[in-house]
Amino acid sequence: MGNKFLRKGDRLKINTAKFIAILSVLATVLWIFGLGWTINSYFFSKPDAKVQSDTANEAEVSKSDGDYQIVALGDSLTRGTGDQSGKGYIGYLVDELKEKTERDIKLSNLAIKGQVSDQVVEQLQKPEIRRQISAADTIVMTIGGNDLFQGGQALENLLSAENDQAKAKYLANLNKIIGELRKVNPEASVYYVGLYNPFNDLEDAKTTSAIVRQWNFESAEIAANYPKVVMVPTFDLFEQNVNDYLYSDKFHPNSEGYKLIGERLSSLIVFSREGNQDD
């Protein structure tokens, strides 16, 4: 009997509440779907089959006294995933270097989203990749994040024997990668961009940070064995207020995060008055 005698205003409030509840449910479903799509896209999708190449001036990489050639290798960080401007740290690096030199800067971005270290080892055996590397003045690279975090699966068992095995495999591959780069191009400066901890705001932040620092330390030890190879730290850039510098997937940097990496990398590349890079 009660519902028959509800006033019009009361019925309107009830209907409004039902409408809001339905919208909330739909929003939750969409959020879950979006999260699942993001994880699948960034962590579990197969790497792009073809080599993707970008150039600052849309020109093919080749030796030229007037040009400054940058070749970029690695994973989705070097592709700039998460930067809505599309620049990534490579784009900010190029912008910064243009302020330092009058040389024509050319970029070949050979990074592939989702790559792990053993795939870079395979990539370096391809003749076209080796040709472009041989023409480089500078080589920049990100690799190891997918080896370590394994699409988020490793978070639950970071202190396991499997994680130790993953680190050993990665370090062996990193040694092969840098060794191959030095073989193909003994003169270019190589900048290996270190790992940061995107999960610094989670419950096990101390554990994940300690593990990332250890991976970085052992990676730096390998880099130190080769001439003109520089380990570029990024851990400290993201250690405080990590969410301010992450994309919505909570793994890749956003525009501000990539800008920080690009600026740090740029600070290590110095040109002489004649326009040549100082060693």
Side-chain angles (χ1 to χ4, degrees):
M1 225 176 94
N3 286 340
K4 289 184 179 181
F5 298 102
L6 285 175
R7 288 179 296 179
K8 184 177 180 180
D10 293 334
R11 290 198 300 271
L12 181 59
K13 290 179 181 178
I14 292 172
N15 289 335
T16 300
K18 289 180 178 178
F19 179 70
I20 292 173
I22 292 171
L23 282 180
S24 298
V25 171
L26 288 174
T28 301
V29 170
L30 287 173
W31 180 84
I32 293 172
F33 174 80
L35 179 63
W37 180 87
T38 297
I39 292 173
N40 181 69
S41 175
Y42 292 138
F43 297 131
F44 301 110
S45 59
K46 294 182 179 179
D48 301 335
K50 63 180 181 179
V51 171
Q52 303 181 46
S53 180
D54 301 318
T55 64
N57 296 288
E58 297 299 325
E60 188 177 349
V61 172
S62 60
K63 280 289 185 185
S64 173
D65 291 338
D67 298 335
Y68 187 79
Q69 310 280 1
I70 300 175
V71 171
L73 298 166
D75 50 31
S76 56
L77 293 182
T78 298
R79 288 309 312 174
T81 300
D83 188 346
Q84 294 180 324
S85 73
K87 284 188 173 184
Y89 78 85
I90 293 292
Y92 295 111
L93 170 64
V94 170
D95 288 346
E96 292 277 328
L97 294 183
K98 284 180 178 179
E99 299 296 321
K100 293 184 176 185
T101 181
E102 295 182 357
R103 295 177 68 183
D104 190 16
I105 298 175
K106 296 182 179 179
L107 166 68
S108 181
N109 194 337
L110 307 176
I112 299 175
K113 185 179 71 176
Q115 276 206 134
V116 292
S117 58
D118 56 1
Q119 291 169 320
V120 177
V121 172
E122 294 176 6
Q123 187 183 24
L124 292 180
Q125 302 308 310
K126 298 178 180 179
E128 175 58 18
I129 301 296
R130 296 172 75 86
R131 185 191 69 80
Q132 296 200 47
I133 289 171
S134 69
D137 294 294
T138 283
I139 300 166
V140 297
M141 178 178 66
T142 59
I143 200 66
N146 294 322
D147 295 75
L148 170 55
F149 293 115
Q150 301 169 32
Q153 297 177 65
L155 287 177
E156 298 179 1
N157 214 11
L158 283 171
L159 298 176
S160 68
E162 287 82 1
N163 184 270
D164 291 337
Q165 293 171 3
K167 182 178 69 171
K169 180 180 178 182
Y170 153 75
L171 292 172
N173 286 333
L174 181 63
N175 192 46
K176 291 177 183 178
I177 291 167
I178 297 177
E180 200 64 27
L181 293 176
R182 285 283 65 117
K183 182 191 300 182
V184 175
N185 188 333
E187 300 301 323
S189 296
V190 177
Y191 297 93
Y192 167 66
V193 179
L195 304 177
Y196 60 89
N197 181 17
F199 306 109
N200 193 40
D201 63 335
L202 299 183
E203 191 173 317
D204 293 332
K206 288 185 177 180
T207 300
T208 54
S209 289
I211 290 172
V212 171
R213 286 197 301 268
Q214 186 62 32
W215 278 53
N216 281 333
F217 174 78
E218 296 189 38
S219 298
E221 290 290 294
I222 290 174
N225 292 326
Y226 294 90
K228 303 182 73 172
V229 177
V230 178
M231 171 86 168
V232 183
T234 63
F235 182 87
D236 60 306
L237 299 177
F238 293 83
E239 187 66 4
Q240 300 294 327
N241 304 316
V242 64
N243 286 319
D244 291 345
Y245 303 111
L246 292 182
Y247 180 55
S248 58
D249 64 4
K250 301 301 180 184
F251 186 80
H252 295 91
N254 57 20
S255 297
E256 289 302 313
Y258 279 119
K259 187 175 181 181
L260 289 176
I261 298 173
E263 289 174 347
R264 173 160 291 179
L265 187 51
S266 170
S267 70
L268 300 173
I269 301 176
V270 181
F271 296 90
S272 67
R273 290 182 181 179
E274 289 74 24
N276 297 318
Q277 183 189 350
D278 292 339
D279 295 332

PDB file of all heavy atoms in Angstrom, residues 2-21:
ATOM      1  N   GLY A   2       2.096   1.131   0.696  1.00  0.00           N
ATOM      2  CA  GLY A   2       2.922   2.315   0.897  1.00  0.00           C
ATOM      3  C   GLY A   2       3.347   2.975  -0.399  1.00  0.00           C
ATOM      4  O   GLY A   2       3.347   4.187  -0.504  1.00  0.00           O
ATOM      5  N   ASN A   3       3.732   2.162  -1.421  1.00  0.00           N
ATOM      6  CA  ASN A   3       4.257   2.719  -2.665  1.00  0.00           C
ATOM      7  C   ASN A   3       3.208   3.552  -3.407  1.00  0.00           C
ATOM      8  O   ASN A   3       3.523   4.474  -4.127  1.00  0.00           O
ATOM      9  CB  ASN A   3       4.775   1.625  -3.591  1.00  0.00           C
ATOM     10  CG  ASN A   3       6.098   1.069  -3.088  1.00  0.00           C
ATOM     11  OD1 ASN A   3       6.764   1.729  -2.314  1.00  0.00           O
ATOM     12  ND2 ASN A   3       6.434  -0.133  -3.524  1.00  0.00           N
ATOM     13  N   LYS A   4       1.919   3.174  -3.269  1.00  0.00           N
ATOM     14  CA  LYS A   4       0.852   3.896  -3.952  1.00  0.00           C
ATOM     15  C   LYS A   4       0.740   5.330  -3.472  1.00  0.00           C
ATOM     16  O   LYS A   4       0.320   6.215  -4.196  1.00  0.00           O
ATOM     17  CB  LYS A   4      -0.490   3.191  -3.739  1.00  0.00           C
ATOM     18  CG  LYS A   4      -0.609   1.882  -4.489  1.00  0.00           C
ATOM     19  CD  LYS A   4      -1.988   1.321  -4.288  1.00  0.00           C
ATOM     20  CE  LYS A   4      -2.153   0.010  -5.066  1.00  0.00           C
ATOM     21  NZ  LYS A   4      -3.511  -0.531  -4.876  1.00  0.00           N
ATOM     22  N   PHE A   5       1.095   5.514  -2.209  1.00  0.00           N
ATOM     23  CA  PHE A   5       0.886   6.829  -1.609  1.00  0.00           C
ATOM     24  C   PHE A   5       2.178   7.635  -1.508  1.00  0.00           C
ATOM     25  O   PHE A   5       2.225   8.643  -0.829  1.00  0.00           O
ATOM     26  CB  PHE A   5       0.266   6.660  -0.216  1.00  0.00           C
ATOM     27  CG  PHE A   5      -1.087   6.005  -0.265  1.00  0.00           C
ATOM     28  CD1 PHE A   5      -1.210   4.663   0.058  1.00  0.00           C
ATOM     29  CD2 PHE A   5      -2.202   6.705  -0.701  1.00  0.00           C
ATOM     30  CE1 PHE A   5      -2.429   4.050   0.001  1.00  0.00           C
ATOM     31  CE2 PHE A   5      -3.427   6.078  -0.759  1.00  0.00           C
ATOM     32  CZ  PHE A   5      -3.555   4.739  -0.414  1.00  0.00           C
ATOM     33  N   LEU A   6       3.267   7.129  -2.142  1.00  0.00           N
ATOM     34  CA  LEU A   6       4.495   7.917  -2.171  1.00  0.00           C
ATOM     35  C   LEU A   6       4.265   9.197  -2.959  1.00  0.00           C
ATOM     36  O   LEU A   6       3.655   9.191  -4.023  1.00  0.00           O
ATOM     37  CB  LEU A   6       5.632   7.117  -2.825  1.00  0.00           C
ATOM     38  CG  LEU A   6       6.252   6.005  -1.986  1.00  0.00           C
ATOM     39  CD1 LEU A   6       7.265   5.253  -2.828  1.00  0.00           C
ATOM     40  CD2 LEU A   6       6.923   6.588  -0.748  1.00  0.00           C
ATOM     41  N   ARG A   7       4.779  10.267  -2.436  1.00  0.00           N
ATOM     42  CA  ARG A   7       4.646  11.529  -3.151  1.00  0.00           C
ATOM     43  C   ARG A   7       5.522  11.518  -4.408  1.00  0.00           C
ATOM     44  O   ARG A   7       6.495  10.782  -4.500  1.00  0.00           O
ATOM     45  CB  ARG A   7       5.048  12.689  -2.235  1.00  0.00           C
ATOM     46  CG  ARG A   7       4.001  12.936  -1.145  1.00  0.00           C
ATOM     47  CD  ARG A   7       4.424  14.056  -0.231  1.00  0.00           C
ATOM     48  NE  ARG A   7       5.646  13.690   0.487  1.00  0.00           N
ATOM     49  CZ  ARG A   7       6.247  14.495   1.345  1.00  0.00           C
ATOM     50  NH1 ARG A   7       5.763  15.720   1.569  1.00  0.00           N
ATOM     51  NH2 ARG A   7       7.336  14.124   1.963  1.00  0.00           N
ATOM     52  N   LYS A   8       5.184  12.373  -5.310  1.00  0.00           N
ATOM     53  CA  LYS A   8       5.914  12.453  -6.579  1.00  0.00           C
ATOM     54  C   LYS A   8       7.393  12.731  -6.343  1.00  0.00           C
ATOM     55  O   LYS A   8       8.269  12.140  -6.973  1.00  0.00           O
ATOM     56  CB  LYS A   8       5.310  13.549  -7.452  1.00  0.00           C
ATOM     57  CG  LYS A   8       5.956  13.649  -8.844  1.00  0.00           C
ATOM     58  CD  LYS A   8       5.262  14.703  -9.670  1.00  0.00           C
ATOM     59  CE  LYS A   8       5.906  14.793 -11.048  1.00  0.00           C
ATOM     60  NZ  LYS A   8       5.247  15.818 -11.882  1.00  0.00           N
ATOM     61  N   GLY A   9       7.724  13.602  -5.407  1.00  0.00           N
ATOM     62  CA  GLY A   9       9.123  13.935  -5.097  1.00  0.00           C
ATOM     63  C   GLY A   9       9.873  12.738  -4.563  1.00  0.00           C
ATOM     64  O   GLY A   9      11.044  12.513  -4.899  1.00  0.00           O
ATOM     65  N   ASP A  10       9.184  11.921  -3.715  1.00  0.00           N
ATOM     66  CA  ASP A  10       9.843  10.734  -3.166  1.00  0.00           C
ATOM     67  C   ASP A  10      10.139   9.723  -4.260  1.00  0.00           C
ATOM     68  O   ASP A  10      11.201   9.097  -4.287  1.00  0.00           O
ATOM     69  CB  ASP A  10       8.966  10.096  -2.085  1.00  0.00           C
ATOM     70  CG  ASP A  10       8.846  10.996  -0.862  1.00  0.00           C
ATOM     71  OD1 ASP A  10       9.777  11.798  -0.646  1.00  0.00           O
ATOM     72  OD2 ASP A  10       7.833  10.903  -0.151  1.00  0.00           O
ATOM     73  N   ARG A  11       9.153   9.552  -5.169  1.00  0.00           N
ATOM     74  CA  ARG A  11       9.376   8.605  -6.266  1.00  0.00           C
ATOM     75  C   ARG A  11      10.540   9.070  -7.146  1.00  0.00           C
ATOM     76  O   ARG A  11      11.354   8.281  -7.618  1.00  0.00           O
ATOM     77  CB  ARG A  11       8.107   8.458  -7.116  1.00  0.00           C
ATOM     78  CG  ARG A  11       6.977   7.718  -6.402  1.00  0.00           C
ATOM     79  CD  ARG A  11       5.937   7.213  -7.394  1.00  0.00           C
ATOM     80  NE  ARG A  11       5.333   8.306  -8.157  1.00  0.00           N
ATOM     81  CZ  ARG A  11       4.250   8.975  -7.759  1.00  0.00           C
ATOM     82  NH1 ARG A  11       3.659   8.685  -6.602  1.00  0.00           N
ATOM     83  NH2 ARG A  11       3.756   9.947  -8.513  1.00  0.00           N
ATOM     84  N   LEU A  12      10.626  10.374  -7.351  1.00  0.00           N
ATOM     85  CA  LEU A  12      11.722  10.918  -8.153  1.00  0.00           C
ATOM     86  C   LEU A  12      13.074  10.654  -7.499  1.00  0.00           C
ATOM     87  O   LEU A  12      14.048  10.280  -8.154  1.00  0.00           O
ATOM     88  CB  LEU A  12      11.535  12.427  -8.346  1.00  0.00           C
ATOM     89  CG  LEU A  12      12.597  13.149  -9.198  1.00  0.00           C
ATOM     90  CD1 LEU A  12      12.638  12.549 -10.605  1.00  0.00           C
ATOM     91  CD2 LEU A  12      12.300  14.649  -9.269  1.00  0.00           C
ATOM     92  N   LYS A  13      13.147  10.807  -6.163  1.00  0.00           N
ATOM     93  CA  LYS A  13      14.388  10.535  -5.444  1.00  0.00           C
ATOM     94  C   LYS A  13      14.791   9.074  -5.573  1.00  0.00           C
ATOM     95  O   LYS A  13      15.965   8.745  -5.761  1.00  0.00           O
ATOM     96  CB  LYS A  13      14.237  10.899  -3.969  1.00  0.00           C
ATOM     97  CG  LYS A  13      14.146  12.397  -3.713  1.00  0.00           C
ATOM     98  CD  LYS A  13      13.978  12.681  -2.235  1.00  0.00           C
ATOM     99  CE  LYS A  13      13.859  14.188  -1.981  1.00  0.00           C
ATOM    100  NZ  LYS A  13      13.657  14.464  -0.550  1.00  0.00           N
ATOM    101  N   ILE A  14      13.811   8.166  -5.459  1.00  0.00           N
ATOM    102  CA  ILE A  14      14.090   6.730  -5.555  1.00  0.00           C
ATOM    103  C   ILE A  14      14.616   6.390  -6.951  1.00  0.00           C
ATOM    104  O   ILE A  14      15.599   5.667  -7.124  1.00  0.00           O
ATOM    105  CB  ILE A  14      12.831   5.911  -5.219  1.00  0.00           C
ATOM    106  CG1 ILE A  14      12.491   6.067  -3.728  1.00  0.00           C
ATOM    107  CG2 ILE A  14      13.046   4.436  -5.562  1.00  0.00           C
ATOM    108  CD1 ILE A  14      11.167   5.453  -3.348  1.00  0.00           C
ATOM    109  N   ASN A  15      13.935   6.937  -7.982  1.00  0.00           N
ATOM    110  CA  ASN A  15      14.356   6.661  -9.353  1.00  0.00           C
ATOM    111  C   ASN A  15      15.752   7.218  -9.625  1.00  0.00           C
ATOM    112  O   ASN A  15      16.564   6.605 -10.313  1.00  0.00           O
ATOM    113  CB  ASN A  15      13.364   7.266 -10.344  1.00  0.00           C
ATOM    114  CG  ASN A  15      12.033   6.521 -10.347  1.00  0.00           C
ATOM    115  OD1 ASN A  15      11.990   5.345  -9.998  1.00  0.00           O
ATOM    116  ND2 ASN A  15      10.955   7.202 -10.725  1.00  0.00           N
ATOM    117  N   THR A  16      16.015   8.390  -9.062  1.00  0.00           N
ATOM    118  CA  THR A  16      17.341   8.984  -9.233  1.00  0.00           C
ATOM    119  C   THR A  16      18.414   8.117  -8.590  1.00  0.00           C
ATOM    120  O   THR A  16      19.489   7.899  -9.138  1.00  0.00           O
ATOM    121  CB  THR A  16      17.383  10.396  -8.619  1.00  0.00           C
ATOM    122  OG1 THR A  16      16.412  11.207  -9.272  1.00  0.00           O
ATOM    123  CG2 THR A  16      18.766  11.024  -8.796  1.00  0.00           C
ATOM    124  N   ALA A  17      18.115   7.617  -7.386  1.00  0.00           N
ATOM    125  CA  ALA A  17      19.068   6.756  -6.685  1.00  0.00           C
ATOM    126  C   ALA A  17      19.341   5.484  -7.473  1.00  0.00           C
ATOM    127  O   ALA A  17      20.484   5.022  -7.574  1.00  0.00           O
ATOM    128  CB  ALA A  17      18.530   6.415  -5.293  1.00  0.00           C
ATOM    129  N   LYS A  18      18.278   4.909  -8.059  1.00  0.00           N
ATOM    130  CA  LYS A  18      18.462   3.701  -8.872  1.00  0.00           C
ATOM    131  C   LYS A  18      19.332   3.993 -10.087  1.00  0.00           C
ATOM    132  O   LYS A  18      20.201   3.216 -10.462  1.00  0.00           O
ATOM    133  CB  LYS A  18      17.104   3.157  -9.328  1.00  0.00           C
ATOM    134  CG  LYS A  18      16.281   2.536  -8.211  1.00  0.00           C
ATOM    135  CD  LYS A  18      14.964   2.020  -8.757  1.00  0.00           C
ATOM    136  CE  LYS A  18      14.127   1.346  -7.664  1.00  0.00           C
ATOM    137  NZ  LYS A  18      12.823   0.878  -8.189  1.00  0.00           N
ATOM    138  N   PHE A  19      19.079   5.162 -10.704  1.00  0.00           N
ATOM    139  CA  PHE A  19      19.852   5.546 -11.894  1.00  0.00           C
ATOM    140  C   PHE A  19      21.336   5.706 -11.560  1.00  0.00           C
ATOM    141  O   PHE A  19      22.207   5.233 -12.288  1.00  0.00           O
ATOM    142  CB  PHE A  19      19.285   6.849 -12.445  1.00  0.00           C
ATOM    143  CG  PHE A  19      20.012   7.361 -13.668  1.00  0.00           C
ATOM    144  CD1 PHE A  19      19.913   6.707 -14.889  1.00  0.00           C
ATOM    145  CD2 PHE A  19      20.817   8.494 -13.579  1.00  0.00           C
ATOM    146  CE1 PHE A  19      20.588   7.173 -15.993  1.00  0.00           C
ATOM    147  CE2 PHE A  19      21.491   8.958 -14.681  1.00  0.00           C
ATOM    148  CZ  PHE A  19      21.370   8.294 -15.898  1.00  0.00           C
ATOM    149  N   ILE A  20      21.599   6.355 -10.423  1.00  0.00           N
ATOM    150  CA  ILE A  20      22.992   6.549  -9.999  1.00  0.00           C
ATOM    151  C   ILE A  20      23.658   5.206  -9.710  1.00  0.00           C
ATOM    152  O   ILE A  20      24.818   4.971 -10.049  1.00  0.00           O
ATOM    153  CB  ILE A  20      23.060   7.458  -8.764  1.00  0.00           C
ATOM    154  CG1 ILE A  20      22.629   8.882  -9.155  1.00  0.00           C
ATOM    155  CG2 ILE A  20      24.465   7.486  -8.160  1.00  0.00           C
ATOM    156  CD1 ILE A  20      22.500   9.825  -7.981  1.00  0.00           C
ATOM    157  N   ALA A  21      22.921   4.287  -9.067  1.00  0.00           N
ATOM    158  CA  ALA A  21      23.472   2.966  -8.760  1.00  0.00           C
ATOM    159  C   ALA A  21      23.826   2.210 -10.026  1.00  0.00           C
ATOM    160  O   ALA A  21      24.876   1.566 -10.124  1.00  0.00           O
ATOM    161  CB  ALA A  21      22.463   2.164  -7.933  1.00  0.00           C
TER     162      ALA A  21
END
